[in-house]
Amino acid sequence: MKKHNNGLKMKILFLLPLGLALALPVCAEVQYGTRPVNTVQDVPSLDFSKTDFIRSVQDALKSGGPSAALALYDSLPDAFASDPDLLVIKASLMISASRLGDAKSVCDGIVAVDPSNEDALELLLYIARRQNDVRNENKYIKQLLSADQYNVSANMALGQSSFASKNYKQARLYYQKALVREEKNEDALFGLGQADYYLGAKDSKMDNECETVFKKLLDVNPQNSLAYSYLGKLAAAGSKYKVASDYVQKAIELEPDNYNYHMDYGMFESYLGHYDNAASAWTKAISLQPDYFLAYAYRGGLYDEQGQEELAINDYKQLLRCNPDYYYAYESIGVLEIHRQNWTAARQAFMKCYEMDKTSNVSYPLMVTYCYYMEGDKVNAKAFSDKVLRKMDRSSIEYAMLRVWHDESGEMPLPQKIAAITDSKKKGKMWFYLGLFYDMFGGGEFASENYAKLLALNSPMIFEYRMAEWRVGQIKLNSEDKSLSRVSN
């Protein structure tokens, strides 16, 4: 901030979420003769020291909080009642005490006398942002920039607004302006580095800028955990997972209860193949925020990949406890329960998927129907599929597939129709469900042939691909068992 006082050196620090705290370095005794005295009544008492008063405010703030510090203003001599330096301090204490309206009144009074008082204008800007008062926010920014185009508070506010609207280039320019006045301002350095990070998604040249900024931030404050965190993200973006892991571990050392740091550490360790470390990291994240779904999704996915199906299912259920609308977890549960041949549990999971998405994914009604058949419940398999068929486009391949399942026959036109599909994902799904049809109603050789067609498309992102791998493996194993049985006989 620029100084608009009689030589007193002061700094007001914004410390959220506790509000505003005062950090006023004690300096030499204030000289009283630097501000004009208009009347005899304005002559200050010789037993009052402005610096001593500020010391008392600091002590009261530390021991009793903002209210105790504000109480000292009741005994302030009349000659100092309008002192702008002390009024700015008073306003900042009011903000700390959540008395935003009172603080605004005090600052308005200062600006009425001195429209260029940047300390008061910066507090008014802060209050406007806290109150989502966009009109006044813009007014105070304009006033501050008219006095100094590099004003830190105004440029920071504009940078944050630009960043929030994803205008990272503009945000970057504002943060750079803020750094002209305060080259070691941590918030401005962080904002600049963060803007560079997101710009790097489209322009890899910005990654070097990003790294430089965050390393400078660490030079200013080696305890800044966010700088280590973003350096880790940056390294991971370049597939340097060991470097990324080392950086985020430093962030965790500084801030061990940060959920996001443990999430990132688990991700980087999983890429390195350190699966136990990854699981431990996500377990720690869960302990920090047991009612947030994301760590369950990551750890459940890891357990799923490692074949720890019971643990995976438990995590997916916990995920759904936290976020019932995340229906992909039901899909994962359904797939795993099918692998375990728990047909009823699988059907219930896929029914949830279908209830949440009745139009865009034919996989769900097909899987529900399949599970009914595998439960030995043809009545409900046909009743459910008939209900779905009535709402489908009769000319679609999806209708034709479910119709064949419902009727348990009439598959002959399907191979030609599937071969004509141009969308590889859709084609793969249909090959799978034709294979599953043969699996259910006889024709293991044809089943394997259609599963192989899906696998040849190399589309592991659809769950049917995984199920096709399982079925091909199981069919092969069953065939080998039969061969061994014939030999032994």
Side-chain angles (χ1 to χ4, degrees):
M1 296 179 183
K2 280 190 174 181
K3 285 71 180 175
H4 296 275
N5 50 50
N6 57 0
L8 178 68
K9 296 180 179 179
M10 69 180 189
K11 178 71 175 176
I12 297 171
L13 299 179
F14 294 84
L15 300 176
L16 298 175
L18 299 177
L20 291 175
L22 217 52
L24 305 177
V26 177
C27 58
E29 285 291 308
V30 175
Q31 300 297 315
Y32 293 126
T34 56
R35 188 179 297 277
V37 177
N38 297 320
T39 67
V40 175
Q41 289 76 15
D42 287 333
V43 176
S45 172
L46 293 177
D47 62 355
F48 179 83
S49 163
K50 190 171 174 181
T51 303
D52 286 343
F53 179 76
I54 293 171
R55 277 201 192 95
S56 298
V57 169
Q58 287 180 308
D59 292 341
L61 181 62
K62 291 176 183 177
S63 60
S67 296
L70 283 166
L72 296 178
Y73 279 82
D74 295 338
S75 59
L76 189 66
D78 290 344
F80 288 89
S82 299
D83 185 288
D85 302 330
L86 300 182
L87 287 175
V88 166
I89 295 171
K90 184 178 183 179
S92 70
L93 290 167
M94 287 175 168
I95 293 174
S96 291
S98 298
R99 293 168 53 184
L100 299 185
D102 292 338
K104 185 178 186 304
S105 296
V106 171
C107 291
D108 283 339
I110 298 171
V111 173
V113 175
D114 179 9
S116 64
N117 189 302
E118 290 185 45
D119 292 333
L121 286 169
E122 287 179 358
L123 289 179
L124 286 168
L125 172 58
Y126 176 80
I127 293 167
R129 288 178 69 81
R130 281 277 299 271
Q131 295 180 329
N132 295 316
D133 184 351
V134 177
R135 184 179 66 83
N136 273 322
E137 179 184 344
N138 292 332
K139 181 182 78 171
Y140 299 134
I141 288 173
K142 186 176 180 180
Q143 287 179 262
L144 286 165
L145 291 178
S146 67
D148 177 10
Q149 64 173 317
Y150 299 108
N151 178 275
V152 176
S153 295
N155 280 293
M156 285 295 297
L158 290 170
Q160 290 161 4
S161 297
S162 297
F163 187 90
S165 62
K166 298 184 179 181
N167 189 345
Y168 304 124
K169 286 186 178 179
Q170 192 64 52
R172 187 173 192 272
L173 293 175
Y174 287 128
Y175 290 130
Q176 286 177 322
K177 281 190 172 184
L179 288 165
V180 170
R181 287 284 175 260
E182 296 182 14
E183 63 177 344
K184 294 184 178 181
N185 185 298
E186 289 187 52
D187 291 334
L189 284 169
F190 175 74
L192 178 60
Q194 195 178 35
D196 287 344
Y197 175 79
Y198 284 100
L199 287 170
K202 293 184 178 180
D203 182 0
S204 60
K205 294 178 182 178
M206 295 305 300
D207 287 347
N208 292 332
E209 296 286 337
C210 179
E211 183 177 13
T212 299
V213 172
F214 281 119
K215 286 184 175 179
K216 182 176 180 180
L217 178 52
L218 287 175
D219 288 338
V220 173
N221 179 10
Q223 305 300 307
N224 193 303
S225 64
L226 278 169
Y228 284 116
S229 170
Y230 268 87
L231 285 169
K233 293 177 186 292
L234 189 63
S239 301
K240 300 174 183 177
Y241 299 116
K242 178 62 171 63
V243 175
S245 181
D246 290 343
Y247 272 130
V248 80
Q249 284 185 77
K250 290 180 180 178
I252 290 171
E253 288 172 9
L254 293 167
E255 199 175 340
D257 291 337
N258 187 297
Y259 180 93
N260 293 324
Y261 296 169
H262 289 285
M263 290 298 297
D264 285 347
Y265 179 58
M267 179 68 71
F268 304 152
E269 287 293 291
S270 70
Y271 287 146
L272 290 168
H274 303 161
Y275 301 122
D276 289 344
N277 288 348
S280 295
W282 292 326
T283 299
K284 175 63 177 178
I286 287 169
S287 73
L288 293 171
Q289 294 190 34
D291 294 326
Y292 187 56
F293 76 98
L294 194 58
Y296 293 112
Y298 278 69
R299 192 178 68 174
L302 178 63
Y303 288 148
D304 196 342
E305 290 174 3
Q306 293 183 316
Q308 300 182 64
E309 295 180 349
E310 189 68 36
L311 291 174
I313 289 171
N314 287 339
D315 270 355
Y316 292 142
K317 287 180 178 179
Q318 287 296 315
L319 185 164
L320 290 165
R321 174 184 63 81
C322 302
N323 186 357
D325 295 329
Y326 196 90
Y327 68 86
Y328 288 112
Y330 286 114
E331 180 181 291
S332 296
I333 291 172
V335 170
L336 290 175
E337 293 292 16
I338 282 178
H339 192 227
R340 289 147 54 95
Q341 298 187 6
N342 292 334
W343 307 114
T344 301
R347 171 175 54 78
Q348 291 170 344
F350 277 114
M351 185 66 83
K352 283 286 189 180
C353 293
Y354 174 66
E355 289 169 355
M356 294 179 176
D357 181 9
K358 289 187 176 182
T359 58
S360 66
N361 197 332
V362 73
S363 298
Y364 300 146
L366 284 164
M367 293 310 301
V368 170
T369 304
Y370 171 67
C371 289
Y372 270 129
Y373 277 128
M374 298 308 291
E375 289 176 90
D377 188 353
K378 282 192 177 184
V379 173
N380 277 313
K382 293 181 183 297
F384 172 77
S385 55
D386 180 68
K387 185 177 178 180
V388 175
L389 284 165
R390 294 184 187 192
K391 299 177 182 179
M392 294 179 71
D393 177 3
R394 288 174 176 258
S395 65
S396 67
I397 184 69
E398 292 87 354
Y399 176 89
M401 183 65 69
L402 187 56
R403 180 85 259 172
V404 165
W405 282 33
H406 177 275
D407 297 342
E408 300 182 47
S409 63
E411 75 279 10
M412 275 314 296
L414 283 173
Q416 292 85 353
K417 288 185 177 182
I418 296 172
I421 296 173
T422 56
D423 183 304
S424 61
K425 180 180 176 181
K426 182 176 180 180
K427 177 181 286 189
K429 279 177 177 280
M430 291 301 105
W431 284 131
F432 172 77
Y433 289 113
L434 183 57
L436 208 56
F437 168 81
Y438 290 122
D439 241 347
M440 286 189 289
F441 304 116
E445 181 180 342
F446 293 118
S448 294
E449 179 182 317
N450 284 283
Y451 293 147
K453 289 177 180 177
L454 164 57
L455 297 178
L457 295 175
N458 195 25
S459 301
M461 297 305 293
I462 58 174
F463 73 79
E464 289 90 349
Y465 187 94
R466 188 179 187 190
M467 292 182 65
E469 287 184 316
W470 287 341
R471 287 303 301 145
V472 167
Q474 188 60 50
I475 291 170
K476 182 178 179 181
L477 184 62
N478 291 342
S479 176
E480 290 173 351
D481 287 343
K482 288 179 181 178
S483 298
L484 288 172
S485 177
R486 286 196 296 270
V487 170
S488 62
N489 291 331

